[in-house]
Amino acid sequence: MKRRDFLALAPTQDISRPAVKPMPRYKRAKAGVVLSGLTPYTGAFSAVQAAHLLRRTTFGMSRATVAQFAAMSLDTAVATLLADQPAPAPPVDPATGTTWIGQPRNSAQEGNYYRYLQAWWMGLLVGQGTSIVEKMTLFWHNFLAANYATVGDSRYMYNQIALYRQYAMGNVKALIKAATKDPAMLVFLNGNSNTNTRPNENYGRELLELFTIGKGPEVAAGNYTWYTEQDVQAAARVLTGWQDVNASATTVFTSNRHDTTNKQFSSAFQNTVVTGRSGATAGDLELDDLLTMIFNQAETSRYFCRKLYLWLVSPTIDSTVESEVITPLAAILRQNNYNLKPVIEVLLKSEHFFDAINVGGMIKNPVDFVVGLAQRLPMGIPTSTAQNTYLALNALRSQAAVFEMQLLEPPGVAGWEPYYQAPNYYKLWINSVTLPLRNDHTDRIINNSSAGGFTFNVDVLSYITTLTATPGSAASIVDACIADLFVFDLTANQQAHLVNDIFLGGQSAQVWANEWNLYVQSPTTTRENAIKTRFRTLLRVMLRMAEFQLM
Amino acid sequence: MKRRDFFKRATPFIALPLAMGGAPVRALSRALAPAGFYEQLAHSDKVLVIIQLSGGNDGINTVIARDQYSAYMNLRSNIALPEASVLPLNDATGLHPAMTGLKELYDDGKLAVVQGVGYPSPNFSHFRATDIWNSASNSNETIQSGWLGRYLQSEYDDYPAGYPNASMPDPLAIQIGSVVSLALQGTEQGMALAIQNPNTFYNLVSGTDITNFDTPPSTHFGELLSFTRQVQLESAAYAGQIKAASDRVKNRFTYPASNSLGDQLKTVARLIAGGLKTKIYVVSIGGFDTHADQVVASDHKIGSHAVLLQRLADAINAFQNDLRMYGIEDRVVGMTFSEFGRRAASNGSLGTDHGTSAPMFVFGKHVAAGVVGANPNLSDLSSGNLKLQIDFRQVYSSIMTGWFGIGQADTDFVMNRSFAYLPLFSTAQSLSMEVMKRHTLARGQSYTYQISTLAEDNTAAAALVNVVDEVATPVSQQVIIAGEDGIASYTTVVPMDKPAGKYKIYFGLPDGFYTFVEVEVR
């Protein structure tokens, strides 16, 4: 694997380098009412706002990135995040240095290829740079979910993820059209067995229920406000005839498998009739008609905006948010012919996005958690060979999987539960199984013991001395760690507890200062180890704190 | 806490032979157990185990209408099971050939099949339908709490303030896995703890610093911070109890290999036998969304659906045997459900699409074995789907009243409406464990207890009976010999010539297993 930017961003081992001053932090908000809407945010844009923006649009960020963004205007910062990115090179087989994408299926190697694909994607997340693309690619993976467990072909999954990355902040209608014909999706939701003689409703149903307009209250039997059972059946018939072609991992339309009759939709779609077509172009023409009909409904634009809001801001969509944020965003989406980028731009630059009620109000998903930690700590991800890099990245991937979010394996067609299951939403990431496992993960990382089958090598000395210019002061160390690891300041009591009981272990601050000075004046391995032990003790406790689960 | 009085509610029973619950400790000789230990045993009570089949199980190929075979064949010739392969339950009804484990339970009188379970205006979305089953709502209403969560609230209405405590030291409910089901959500908060493995759970929660909490702000951040801290606290509070229960016993029956459901039920059996007072366990198995290739074209008896059904049947069978070996069969009942059944006709992909009603299994020693309700009529469909026969909430409500014995007011709270009682349980079970564990005898009255002495290799053993008085002074000691079925019987005589007061009768087995009953002599 090519050496990626993120490795250059990792702090060096040079402890004599002057440390940056601690980041300023948000003061906690007191109010519990949302009054802000999409009015452009005109307040200060410095490190605290930059950090919030980056937490929500990337997977954690290094201090260097925060500093870089804090020096920008909000306009520049958002423009940087939204800049189009070139497609990354496909994954390679580290044994040969070449890719298997675009080749016929190799069943003997498929198990390995799947692991390489996962590692490759984790590498893109860790090396995300200063772009929202990776966050939005995962958004679509969660939104238009398919999983390897069902699809069973790493080429198909790669193609689907490449499609989602291509349209990460692009045209939603074009994406839905492409996803409908995507080979992985055809396999995952049985589109490939949907024919004129034996219609299979699976994809047609999910297209309406989950992928475009969404399900409203069931106002009568089989009538879900925005569509009906009749529409599901009609949509399924429109979609007949598509199949995947395994040899080339592509899609084919077979006209004699297509239902050529007219498709009558319900009054939810103004009694639209999609005219039955025949011949080689029938599938595309009818699909275009179907999507035009669906995307002409204002509810479709609102549905996408709610999903986006839930991904970037909050799961709490009350009537104020609906009227002040979702409705105007949906109008922007329609005005822009379903191009997503202008919508994201308005949202990220809005008063609402920076409203104190939303800051910190998100539980890190497992990928945020694992990748975010890797962004912060110098974890020593190896670059010697692609094989070694993949091993380390796969370890991170497997740890996220243990916390219930495995890349390429969303549990079902609706994606991961915390993004759709009311009323708990994000809270579903945290329970008595996953929280102790997250705690165990951070312990292992800090202790340099095996995590997910790989032993990382975190340089705690470098981490702390990069954070603070005065490591001889226990209070300064704790303060710097709070600033780097948490969204908000801690209370004076919590801070004192971390300094006195955890870091100093009951000793006086002077004892630590003496120990540090002695080490700086004449460093020995013994002294260095003693110092690292103090740092590790502090970090283990802080990374176990509830505050570290939030972003 | 609202301490329920099962004693008053239970049907009075005298001199009926009863099997004893087993709750082992390290050594038989520890008659003077640590404070609180007897309390824990004495209050142990009935347990409900829920098995969720995620994806929508094809009920028509699970429980086969043998009396409508030609209609069945017409609807799904490409996936139909051969008539002769079906495991007959009675003249009309049979099980999928892969479910020998459940057939055995049926023949042992421990399985009820409830036919055609669903609800009016069925929903075909996995997520919405799952929510409906878990929340016990109408099809057109959204309820954000679960039926089991509300049941637990009716029993422990002040939870979580002051929990764990001496009378309820354990989680009210345990989800095996890492995501707690909506079914266990109360109207105010979650009522359950999720665990994967009792030992690793304990090891992982130690090391969390939970001191010096402040008051979080009233923002989304503050709400999530409080929530996360609550999970930390609960995890820490229950970890020791769960590990201790798990350490107290080992599984006495071998579970099927490569069967995740079996692994989950194995943990459940250990925790129950180990003395947890937890009332509800939820486990799950996925993969039932069989739109394609649910059978192999050349042999419909095999394929992905057969694999799933075999895992289900084998796991339940092993679990029931394990409970029998522990001698705690009396305390446990289980139930399966899936968010919906499948369309009556198969599709062109050797699979089935989302449908409506489907059978449920209710299993346990005290279940009234049999088939409840007629086979669904395969010739009388509604838009290609089976018609509703039994509302799932009627099954829930019958479990609430028939197994947990809760009153009408609480059932109404839990179910939000009233349903007629389905006779899912044999009458003997209405004598609850509470009664069995602690009861009163008039002088001269006799009472017979039975204890299972079976070991893992199915060999029987002798049991040692120790009777002690209120201050643990030994009164008598006796060895009782088990019959070929492994059951040893003991009839109370000793306390009769002693003064009025409370006595404890301990039953111990050679491997250290032990249990007791408390008797008050008037």
Side-chain angles (χ1 to χ4, degrees), chain B residues 17-348:
Chain B
L18 292 167
M20 289 291 306
V25 289
R26 283 195 202 94
L28 181 59
S29 58
R30 292 191 64 187
L32 287 169
F37 181 72
Y38 295 144
E39 282 292 303
Q40 195 174 326
L41 287 181
H43 290 159
S44 60
D45 208 275
K46 291 182 176 177
V47 171
L48 174 63
V49 178
I50 307 281
I51 302 176
Q52 180 176 359
L53 317 179
S54 292
N57 179 35
D58 182 11
I60 298 171
N61 263 26
T62 304
V63 176
I64 289 87
R66 299 174 65 214
D67 58 350
Q68 302 169 52
Y69 192 79
S70 64
Y72 167 74
M73 196 68 193
N74 285 339
L75 285 166
R76 32 173 74 196
S77 60
N78 63 339
I79 63 162
L81 295 160
E83 193 166 8
S85 71
V86 174
L87 307 172
L89 297 180
N90 57 32
D91 288 346
T93 308
L95 289 177
H96 188 289
M99 304 184 84
T100 49
L102 282 188
K103 161 79 169 143
E104 191 182 305
L105 284 193
Y106 185 88
D107 293 342
D108 284 353
K110 293 175 182 172
L111 178 73
V113 179
V114 188
Q115 295 267 36
V117 189
Y119 51 91
S121 305
N123 194 291
F124 299 98
S125 151
H126 290 290
F127 313 100
R128 178 65 195 134
T130 305
D131 289 352
I132 289 169
W133 276 82
N134 281 329
S135 62
S137 72
N138 281 333
S139 179
N140 61 358
E141 68 182 339
T142 300
I143 298 180
Q144 296 190 335
S145 63
W147 70 287
L148 298 168
R150 294 193 298 276
Y151 160 65
L152 290 166
Q153 257 178 296
S154 78
E155 295 280 352
Y156 305 92
D157 55 1
D158 52 357
Y159 182 86
Y163 286 78
N165 56 41
S167 58
M168 191 40 160
D170 305 317
L172 307 186
I174 288 178
Q175 170 101 36
I176 305 293
S178 49
V179 180
V180 178
S181 163
L182 171 66
L184 294 165
Q185 174 76 25
T187 56
E188 305 299 325
Q189 70 281 308
M191 306 295 284
L193 189 76
I195 61 163
Q196 282 173 324
N197 175 313
N199 282 310
T200 52
F201 179 62
Y202 178 80
N203 293 336
L204 295 184
V205 299
S206 55
T208 297
D209 180 72
I210 48 175
T211 54
N212 273 5
F213 285 161
D214 56 343
T215 307
S218 59
T219 59
H220 299 320
F221 169 81
E223 185 203 344
L224 294 175
L225 190 66
S226 302
F227 164 78
T228 307
R229 287 174 176 174
Q230 180 67 28
V231 174
Q232 282 178 335
L233 282 171
E234 282 174 6
S235 306
Y238 290 122
Q241 286 289 117
I242 290 170
K243 182 176 189 300
S246 175
D247 285 352
R248 222 171 265 145
V249 294
K250 64 179 174 68
N251 290 94
R252 308 187 111 208
F253 192 82
T254 307
Y255 282 72
S258 304
N259 185 328
S260 73
L261 181 65
D263 294 342
Q264 295 173 58
L265 288 173
K266 184 173 168 179
T267 300
V268 172
R270 269 178 88 127
L271 295 178
I272 300 171
L276 280 199
K277 294 168 69 177
T278 300
K279 301 193 75 77
I280 292 166
Y281 295 84
V282 177
V283 299
S284 65
I285 171 174
F288 286 88
D289 195 16
T290 50
H291 284 283
D293 300 317
Q294 74 178 65
V295 301
V296 170
S298 58
D299 182 355
H300 297 175
K301 299 192 298 299
I302 58 177
S304 62
H305 194 234
V307 169
L308 291 167
L309 293 181
Q310 172 156 9
R311 282 188 189 144
L312 175 69
D314 288 355
I316 293 176
N317 184 287
F319 178 63
Q320 199 62 43
N321 275 311
D322 205 14
L323 296 178
R324 178 172 55 84
M325 299 280 203
Y326 280 129
I328 53 174
E329 264 190 307
D330 283 276
R331 291 183 51 204
V332 183
V333 102
M335 177 199 102
T336 68
F337 82 96
S338 193
E339 66 263 34
F340 42 62
R342 316 294 294 186
R343 195 71 60 91
S346 55
N347 62 28

Side-chain angles (χ1 to χ4, degrees), chain A residues 209 404 431-432 497 544 547, chain B residues 125 178 194 208 211-212 229:
Chain A
E209 180 183 332
E404 295 293 321
N431 60 41
S432 52
H497 171 66
R544 274 178 174 262
E547 282 81 353
Chain B
S125 151
S178 49
T208 297
T211 54
N212 273 5
R229 287 174 176 174

